[in-house]
């Protein structure tokens, strides 16, 4: 306006002459100030942009989350195009159909809806156009186009994708940079002493272990806890029975071979013999007052169980720290006292109960006989994990049936101010029941609970039969055969569980899990071994591949190369999604998609060209060998997170 003012007030000289001779324009001092201010801001902005870019290239060892990067870019454009919208929706997803580009931003339609509710008429296509005009300069978008009612299709630069693949090949599969190293506690497995581990414990063990592996790969400080049931009234009858059956248990280690049978014997006596029942109660009291002989008896019983549990953990390669209910005994008293001091405890027919706001049932923190409950020990454990372990994330992996219980415990902890859910993530990751092939609860023919070790033994037997059917015993050494047997057996049991949405019930079927067609560990392990063998059969060693990664550009001209390259790079997005919802089947689905995408690529693109007559290698397409390598690297890391152990030869 200053300039216009200068132009308009300078008659009698014709305006046109002034415009022809701009030197005669005298800008106002205010305009000069603004220009200087603008230049300063631009300079600072460029410095910030440069340091951001440097930071990005600094972190290039990590894999880039392309989806997240696109969300940053589109988030900026959306805010610039509709500054009046509070919290505008940001939706960027990979495109299912390649003809529509690689990713898609679907925010325009939702933004038009939001504006409509504010009484502003808006056309989604026009909003999409505005978003595109406001896209900041970036390193990854080749072009955008608007489709249908306002979808924005995004095409990535091939060169950019190629560089990311080279980075992956040189640096290996690196996790994205962590803002801060958080402390994560995962409470999983948690069987009961003196009772069999059953398939429910198997699910908790497999799912919990995989969650820990994911957090560990991402760089968190993870504490894996086994909250075993090692305290309570049942120990009274077990100790009383131990004293009768092995009177010299303090000096001679009692040969309890079958703890289940021992438990059943003591339970029978407890139900039938009044005198025994009375003694059992006295034993509980003496154990709780920590009399040495009773602590020794308790330890003996716990040790027998521990050895049994450890056999299962060894098979499945599980690392876990035992910290049972007994660990929290003294802390329970403190937790109850804290609730009482805050006036949050009510009396109910001799019991002490706590109501948490909005919850359907109260917690019983002290029974009418003065004893504590599961509610008390879970409150004490949560308090210890928050204040002593200083956990930022606490995850409980138990069956969905305990969902309400944990919901009430968490609500009570928030009510008393132990944690703020905006700051600390405390979550119950529930799972469904294991069913037999008849879709009923998983049991043996005689209706008993299936012993886990029997189940694992059966898996080993079946996997050996499978390998022999494929005549692998004729080509593998005895050591290789055993390795393959264990990899297939335990890998299949884990993968069958993890590949189903944990929230649903799941049907346990050896036939399905050992099938090498479809989304199974058997198929993926074979696919991986095959990919790994491509370079070996072409006589290309690791050193050659490493050198090629640094010197050969990964070409992505063929549509199947392009599809595979993009699929490989979606790995960080997949991990981010699982971090948000703790649903591991997403990773299984992704690995299956990666394996099938690789097969398409391998069937259409020659990696190694051989002479038809002699079978000699005539030509190696090195950039395609690198795509094989990148696929195998991602699969290996995915297997590692799922707890699967691939073998070199199968």
């Amino acid at each position: 306006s200053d300039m216009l003012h200068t132009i308009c007030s300078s008659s009698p000289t014709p305006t046109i002459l002034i415009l022809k001779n701009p030197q005669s324009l005298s800008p106002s001092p205010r305009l000069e100030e603004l220009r200087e201010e603008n230049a300063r801001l631009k300079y600072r902005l460029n410095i910030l942009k440069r340091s951001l870019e440097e930071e990005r290239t600094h972190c290039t060892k990590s894999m880039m989350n392309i989806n997240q990067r696109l969300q940053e870019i589109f988030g900026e454009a959306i805010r610039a195009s509709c500054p009046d919208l509070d919290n505008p929706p940001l939706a960027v997803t990979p495109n299912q159909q390649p003809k529509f580009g690689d990713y898609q931003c679907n925010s325009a339609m939702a933004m038009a809806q939001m504006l409509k509710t504010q009484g502003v008429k808006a056309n989604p296509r026009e909003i999409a156009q505005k978003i595109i005009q406001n896209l900041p300069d970036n390193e990854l978008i080749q072009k955008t186009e608007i489709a249908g009612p306002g979808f924005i299709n995004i095409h990535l630069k091939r060169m950019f994708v190629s560089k990311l693949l080279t980075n992956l090949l040189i640096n290996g599969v690196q996790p994205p940079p962590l803002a801060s190293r958080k402390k994560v506690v995962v409470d999983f497995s948690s069987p009961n002493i003196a009772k069999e581990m059953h398939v429910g414990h198997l699910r908790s063990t497999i799912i919990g272990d995989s969650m820990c592996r994911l957090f560990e790969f991402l760089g968190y400080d993870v504490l894996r806890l086994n909250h075993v049931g090692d305290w309570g009234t049942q120990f009274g009858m077990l100790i009383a029975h131990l004293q009768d059956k092995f009177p010299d248990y303090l000096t001679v280690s009692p040969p309890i071979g079958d703890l289940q049978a021992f438990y059943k014997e003591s339970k029978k006596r407890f139900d039938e013999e009044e005198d025994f029942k009375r003694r059992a109660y006295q034993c509980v009291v003496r154990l709780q007052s920590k009399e040495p002989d009773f602590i020794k008896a308790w330890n003996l019983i716990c040790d027998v169980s521990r050895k049994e549990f450890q056999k299962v953990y060894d098979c499945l390669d599980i690392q876990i720290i035992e910290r049972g209910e007994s660990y929290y005994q003294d802390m329970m008293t403190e937790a109850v006292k804290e609730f009482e001091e805050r006036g949050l405890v009510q009396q109910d027919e001799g019991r002490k109960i706590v109501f948490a706001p909005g919850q359907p049932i109260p917690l019983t923190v002290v029974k009418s006989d003065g004893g504590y409950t599961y509610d008390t020990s879970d409150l004490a454990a949560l308090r210890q994990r928050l204040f002593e372990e200083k956990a930022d994330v606490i995850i409980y992996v138990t069956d969905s049936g305990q969902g309400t219980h944990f919901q009430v415990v968490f609500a009570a902890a928030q009510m008393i101010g132990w944690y703020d859910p905006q700051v600390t993530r405390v979550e119950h990751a529930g799972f469904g029941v294991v069913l037999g092939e008849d879709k009923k609860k998983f049991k043996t023919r005689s209706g008993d609970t299936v012993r886990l070790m029997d189940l694992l033994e059966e898996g080993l037997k079946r996997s050996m039969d499978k390998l022999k059917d494929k005549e692998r015993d004729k080509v593998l050494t005895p050591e290789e055969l055993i390795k393959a047997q264990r990899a297939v057996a335990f890998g299949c049991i884990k993968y069958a569980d993890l590949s189903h949405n944990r929230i649903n019930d799941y049907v346990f079927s050896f036939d399905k899990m050992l099938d090498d067609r479809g989304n199974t560990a058997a198929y993926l392990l074979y696919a991986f071994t095959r990919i790994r063998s491509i370079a070996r059969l072409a006589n290309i060693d690791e050193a050659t591949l490493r050198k090629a990664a640094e010197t050969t550009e990964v070409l992505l001209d063929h549509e199947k190369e392009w599809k595979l390259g993009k699929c490989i790079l979606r790995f960080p997005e997949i991990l981010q999604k699982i971090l948000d919802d703790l649903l591991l089947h997403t990773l299984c689905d992704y690995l299956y998609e990666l394996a099938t995408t690789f097969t398409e690529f391998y069937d259409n693109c020659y990696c190694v060209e051989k002479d038809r007559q002699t079978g000699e290698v005539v030509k190696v397409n090195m950039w395609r060998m690198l795509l094989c390598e990148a696929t195998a690297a991602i699969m290996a890391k995915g297997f590692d997170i799922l707890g699967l152990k691939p073998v070199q030869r199968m």
Side-chain angles (χ1 to χ4, degrees), residues 113-237:
Q113 272 306 113
M114 278 176 86
L115 288 165
K116 198 174 166 188
T117 57
Q118 294 176 12
V120 181
K121 275 195 85 171
N123 177 339
R125 279 187 75 95
E126 283 169 18
I127 294 175
Q129 191 55 54
K130 237 179 176 176
I131 293 171
I132 289 173
Q133 284 163 356
N134 280 295
L135 283 174
D137 285 346
N138 63 78
E139 71 282 25
L140 71 165
I141 299 174
Q142 177 72 45
K143 64 169 184 175
T144 51
E145 58 213 4
I146 300 169
F151 297 112
I152 301 173
N153 290 333
I154 306 159
H155 297 260
L156 299 176
K157 289 181 179 168
R158 300 215 167 202
M159 198 61 213
F160 172 76
V161 171
S162 170
K163 274 188 184 145
L164 289 185
L165 288 165
T166 297
N167 174 30
L168 162 66
L169 287 157
I170 291 171
N171 296 309
V173 186
Q174 300 294 338
L178 260 192
S180 62
R181 189 162 187 250
K182 291 184 171 168
K183 174 82 177 264
V184 180
V185 172
V186 184
D187 173 328
F188 69 106
S189 192
S190 312
N192 291 310
I193 296 287
K195 289 187 183 170
E196 279 288 4
M197 268 181 100
H198 55 71
V199 281
H201 296 124
L202 179 67
R203 283 207 86 177
S204 174
T205 305
I206 290 170
I207 295 166
D209 176 56
S210 185
M211 282 180 190
C212 292
R213 287 167 179 270
L214 173 66
F215 281 112
E216 284 157 357
F217 169 63
L218 294 171
Y220 292 88
D221 175 13
V222 181
L223 179 60
R224 302 154 155 261
L225 289 184
N226 200 359
H227 189 80
V228 297
D230 66 353
W231 202 252
T233 48
Q234 78 270 27
F235 281 97
M237 63 182 196

Side-chain angles (χ1 to χ4, degrees), residues 30 124 629 643:
R30 176 89 185 102
E629 272 302 289

Side-chain angles (χ1 to χ4, degrees), residues 231 282-292 294-295:
W231 202 252
Q282 284 164 354
C283 287
V284 174
V285 175
R286 297 177 75 176
L287 173 64
Q288 286 176 342
S289 48
K290 300 197 172 60
E291 285 187 32
F294 288 81
I295 290 287

